[in-house]
Amino acid sequence: MTVTELPLRTAPTDRLRVLVVSESFLPQINGVTNSVRRVLEHLAAEGHEAELVAPTGPATYAGFPITRARSASLWFYRDFRIGLETRRRLRSVMQRFRPDVVHVASPATLGYQAVRVAAELGIPTVAIYQTDLVGFAQRYEQKYGLSGGARAMAALTRKIHLQVDRTLVPSTASLTQLDQLGVPRTMLWPRGVDVEGFHPSRIDRELRRRLAPGGQVIVGYVGRLAAEKELPLLIHLTRDDRYALVVVGGGPEEQRLRGLLPGAHFLGVLHGEELGAAYASLDVFVHTGRHETFCQSAQEALASGVPVVAPRSGGPVDIVNDGVTGLLYRPGDGEDLRRSVDFLAEDPVLRRTMGRSARIAVQGRSWTAINQRLIDHYREVIDDRLGRFRLTA
């Protein structure tokens, strides 16, 4: 044992101490934030202890303290901050809290430093692969004429995940991607969904009348308004007066998209009952980005009883049963997207049938069940590390 290592517990205990390190948290609303919130809520409900380190956030969440990491804004996405914390300060947090396991959520700059410190201290680590940094870098290279970003993100992804005890990925596409990058010790861990908050019964008839006064088919997107989401593909739907196009969310591309999508209804960032009502009031949900590791918004649409049209790429391949709960189109092909929407728009009986199948498909995907499996992963990496410690002692 090196002088920097913290002593491992010699026997498992019912209560775990979990340090969660996240690249994103409130007030940012995205897939990473939402899954971290669910994890913290589950840890609190089950009587575990936790702390969160993140670039932003309130003083506490779910009763657990939050340490705000040093951070900086991205020049192309001012509302989003990246963690730039030092290893010295992260080491101080870990030595004070003495976690049984470090959970790094969608690790990038902050997660990389946390993983290094945990390795120095001999603390087991579980990484949640949730952001396709390579794919996003490719999109921004195209948008801004940059080069080398994708290679750098591939190198960073390998460097982070080679050091952790286990990497949990949300989809088979992500498993394949990390395998191609040479990342070992990966296992599938999907995302849960709030099957009560997202439910067909939450339909808002008044909202539908306001969005589609002429009885148009309401087609909607929910998510961040950022370059990697490829939202200009929605232009192919604005040319058809059969559709009322709805966009829910916020982000750096909002003003540009308002110009590109004249006539679309921009509802802004919604939460809670308003968000559930927006989903349930759609006739068709559309997703455009091809670099989703999971696509939680598609799963929330399914829970709301809404058929999904999404690219045949990444997470949606696992989530959408093509021809049963929705349709998959060629990634990046706006005409194919439009044809898929047209197919559903022309057949209301098929939409209702797919909507019922969509709702059935998400039954059993509660956050409680998903997060209990996460606790199992924590215990397994702790036991593995303890076993290795005993062999070398």
Side-chain angles (χ1 to χ4, degrees):
M1 184 173 68
T2 66
V3 295
T4 57
E5 284 182 328
L6 295 177
L8 287 164
R9 297 186 182 189
T10 57
T13 61
D14 290 334
R15 176 179 291 184
L16 295 177
R17 296 175 65 83
V18 183
L19 181 68
V20 180
V21 180
S22 179
E23 300 289 338
S24 179
F25 200 60
L26 297 170
Q28 290 294 320
I29 301 298
N30 52 46
V32 176
T33 295
N34 290 338
S35 63
V36 168
R37 288 171 58 210
R38 294 293 187 174
V39 167
L40 293 173
E41 289 163 6
H42 184 79
L43 290 170
E46 294 296 310
H48 301 292
E49 296 187 33
E51 286 195 17
L52 173 66
V53 177
T56 59
T60 65
Y61 188 82
F64 299 131
I66 296 175
T67 297
R68 289 187 189 152
R70 294 184 177 93
S71 62
S73 295
L74 297 170
W75 64 269
F76 54 85
Y77 195 164
R78 291 295 180 186
D79 292 337
F80 189 86
R81 301 189 69 82
I82 60 171
L84 299 174
E85 193 52 89
T86 63
R87 291 202 301 279
R88 180 185 60 79
R89 191 156 178 250
L90 287 168
R91 185 180 296 108
S92 176
V93 171
M94 292 185 199
Q95 289 175 328
R96 172 186 52 77
F97 182 59
R98 302 178 70 81
D100 296 306
V101 63
V102 174
H103 168 132
V104 282
S106 194
T109 53
L110 177 59
Y112 174 54
Q113 298 289 50
V115 166
R116 292 182 67 184
V117 173
E120 292 170 2
L121 296 175
I123 304 170
T125 47
V126 172
I128 311 300
Y129 181 71
Q130 197 164 342
T131 305
D132 181 1
L133 296 174
V134 179
F136 287 2
Q138 290 170 343
R139 294 297 303 170
Y140 282 100
E141 283 181 347
Q142 295 169 4
K143 180 177 175 62
Y144 296 107
L146 305 173
S147 62
R151 287 195 303 275
M153 290 300 99
L156 178 62
T157 299
R158 279 195 301 269
K159 190 176 292 186
I160 292 170
H161 293 279
L162 282 171
Q163 296 182 67
V164 302
D165 291 88
R166 182 170 297 181
T167 293
L168 302 180
V169 302
S171 63
T172 55
S174 297
L175 281 172
T176 300
Q177 182 188 34
L178 291 187
D179 182 63
Q180 291 172 345
L181 288 174
V183 174
R185 300 181 297 280
T186 57
M187 297 188 73
L188 194 63
W189 182 64
R191 300 293 177 268
V193 64
D194 181 354
V195 293
E196 297 304 322
F198 301 104
H199 193 282
S201 66
R202 296 192 176 274
I203 187 170
D204 184 335
R205 303 291 179 184
E206 178 56 36
L207 176 62
R208 283 184 58 85
R209 283 191 289 270
R210 197 162 69 244
L211 295 174
Q216 300 95 325
V217 174
I218 303 175
V219 182
Y221 165 88
V222 179
R224 284 187 301 118
L225 309 185
E228 69 271 13
K229 301 299 184 180
E230 302 181 73
L231 288 162
L233 290 175
L234 295 177
I235 290 172
H236 294 266
L237 301 177
T238 62
R239 304 166 184 165
D240 196 322
D241 59 11
R242 291 178 301 166
Y243 303 134
L245 182 61
V246 178
V247 178
V248 178
E253 291 284 284
E254 181 172 349
Q255 289 306 118
R256 176 169 175 259
L257 289 169
R258 285 180 178 272
L260 290 174
L261 305 173
H265 302 271
F266 284 80
L267 303 186
V269 178
L270 301 179
H271 307 280
E273 292 183 0
E274 286 187 320
L275 180 59
Y279 272 116
S281 300
L282 301 176
D283 292 307
V284 179
F285 176 84
V286 173
H287 195 78
T288 47
R290 74 188 77 179
H291 297 297
E292 297 299 310
T293 58
F294 185 71
C295 199
Q296 180 70 353
S297 59
Q299 183 166 247
E300 290 169 349
L302 295 179
S304 303
V306 179
V308 171
V309 172
R312 192 185 299 276
S313 174
V317 175
D318 288 351
I319 294 173
V320 180
N321 188 346
D322 193 22
V324 177
T325 63
L327 298 172
L328 299 174
Y329 64 90
R330 286 189 296 275
D333 188 334
E335 285 299 322
D336 199 27
L337 180 157
R338 181 188 56 78
R339 283 190 290 269
S340 296
V341 173
D342 287 347
F343 186 75
L344 293 177
E346 293 166 1
D347 193 338
V349 174
L350 177 61
R351 290 203 307 273
R352 288 194 294 270
T353 301
M354 282 191 170
R356 287 192 294 269
S357 297
R359 177 65 189 177
I360 293 169
V362 300
Q363 298 297 330
R365 298 186 193 175
S366 72
W367 276 109
T368 297
I370 294 297
N371 282 328
Q372 190 52 54
R373 181 64 187 117
L374 177 63
I375 301 299
D376 294 339
H377 285 296
Y378 291 160
R379 293 193 186 281
E380 288 165 13
V381 298
I382 293 168
D383 289 346
D384 287 346
R385 180 66 69 93
L386 184 58
R388 293 197 301 272
F389 175 79
R390 284 171 173 161
L391 286 174
T392 58

